[in-house]
Amino acid sequence: FLLNPSPVPREGVPSELLGLTDYLILNDTEIRRIGLSLGTEDPRQAARRLVADGLTAVALTRGAEGCVIVDAAGERCIEPFAVKPVDAVGAGDAFAGALAAALAEGRPLSEAALLANAAGALAVTVEGAMPSLPPRVRIDALLRDGNLP
C-alpha cells in the first residue's frame, strides 16, 4: 500500500493508516509535521523512525533537490533533473503516480524513485495540474537521454 497523504492534516496521519502503509511519500513540510508527533524535527530521523516502526520505505520529496529514499538499507539521495520550472502544481502527483506505477511493475525502489523524479521534473515544465502530468514516453525519454524530450 502506497500512501501520499498530501496535505498532511495538522493532527498528523492516523497510526491505524500508517500501520497499513508500505510506502509513504511526504514533502519536507509533511515529514516535519509527522516528525513532531514522533518527537523529532529532523525529517530524515522521522523517516528512519517510520521505517523502524514497520514501513517499507519513506520517499521524501525535495522539489528541485530531488528526493531522499529511506528504507531498511539506509538513506539514498536520488538526484534531480535540471529543468526550467514553469508551475509546480501537479509535480507531487506526477511523482506519486510514477512511483506507484514503477513499483507495480516490480522495479527496485531506487529505480522507481528515479522514474518518479523524472515525472516530477517534467511536470513542472508545463502550466496547470492535469496538462503537466507527463506521458510515460516522455519520462522514459528523459531517463534515457538525460535531457528534456
Side-chain angles (χ1 to χ4, degrees), residues 2 23 25 69 93-119 136 139-140 143:
L2 185 145
Y23 299 94
I25 301 170
I69 299 298
D93 296 323
F95 180 96
L99 185 69
L103 290 171
E105 292 171 355
R107 293 181 185 233
L109 182 56
S110 290
E111 188 178 323
L114 183 63
L115 190 136
N117 258 4
R136 182 61 178 265
I139 297 168
D140 291 340
L143 290 170

Side-chain angles (χ1 to χ4, degrees), residues 39-67:
T40 181
E41 292 185 27
D42 179 81
R44 291 183 184 194
Q45 184 177 3
R48 287 191 299 271
R49 283 214 188 132
L50 290 166
V51 170
D53 287 346
L55 269 68
T56 300
V58 178
L60 301 174
T61 60
R62 304 177 69 223
E65 296 176 31
C67 73

Side-chain angles (χ1 to χ4, degrees), residues 68-93:
V68 175
I69 299 298
V70 179
D71 62 11
E75 299 176 17
R76 293 177 301 292
C77 293
I78 309 297
E79 294 300 317
F81 290 87
V83 296
K84 190 173 216 168
V86 174
D87 183 2
V89 173
D93 296 323

Side-chain angles (χ1 to χ4, degrees), residues 6-29:
S6 182
V8 169
R10 289 192 191 279
E11 61 277 2
V13 178
S15 59
E16 301 82 16
L17 186 55
L18 286 176
L20 300 171
T21 302
D22 298 303
Y23 299 94
L24 184 63
I25 301 170
L26 300 166
N27 65 28
D28 193 56
T29 301

